[in-house]
Amino acid sequence: MKNRMQPLISWALGASVLAFGAVARGEIKIVADHNSNESASPAFKFKNVPTPSKNDAATNARFTILDGERDDNGGDLDKLHDGKLPTEEDEPAENFFFNAGTEGGRLRVDLGKAIEPKKQSS
């Protein structure tokens, strides 16, 4: 009987791992927004994108470029989570961006620990 139970236990364990893997993968949601010059303000408020924060899940995160190249006119990856807002109209060195004329790139953000995502209000 022990030999007949072994495949059943292995199958159940395998099914549990696969089910957990499907649940553990988070859905990626890309949000972009733009304010025209007429509606832009120092408050840095957007309709769909939250205002930068000095104390959020990314505060101590490690950012890595996976694909694409940083534009030398811009700031380094730390600009993505320093919580600072631009103070003037044109401050490329205070912002991170990929090389101009390219399709952009991809970043990896390692939060350093598991976090419980907050639900967005609609």
Side-chain angles (χ1 to χ4, degrees):
M1 180 140 181
K2 183 177 180 184
N3 288 342
R4 292 180 68 198
M5 290 298 288
Q6 188 65 31
L8 182 59
I9 292 171
S10 296
W11 179 85
L13 181 59
S16 297
V17 169
L18 288 175
F20 176 75
V23 172
R25 280 184 279 164
E27 182 180 326
I28 297 172
K29 180 179 179 183
I30 298 171
V31 179
D33 218 332
H34 172 77
N35 288 336
S36 66
N37 287 341
E38 295 78 35
S39 63
S41 76
F44 217 75
K45 298 286 184 188
F46 292 94
K47 181 179 178 183
N48 299 306
V49 177
T51 302
S53 171
K54 290 184 180 183
N55 189 18
D56 61 15
T59 300
N60 296 311
R62 289 187 314 152
F63 285 68
T64 307
I65 297 175
L66 297 179
D67 187 29
E69 293 183 11
R70 179 183 76 83
D71 192 305
D72 290 336
N73 294 313
D76 59 20
L77 289 169
D78 289 338
K79 299 297 179 185
L80 294 173
H81 61 118
D82 65 3
K84 297 179 183 176
L85 298 172
T87 58
E88 295 179 22
E89 186 175 324
D90 188 19
E91 289 186 298
E94 295 302 315
N95 296 279
F96 172 85
F97 49 95
F98 291 103
N99 277 338
T102 69
E103 293 185 15
R106 294 183 310 131
L107 301 172
R108 174 177 45 223
V109 182
D110 181 355
L111 301 176
K113 62 182 178 181
I115 63 165
E116 185 68 30
K118 293 181 181 178
K119 292 187 181 217
Q120 289 183 325
S121 58
S122 38

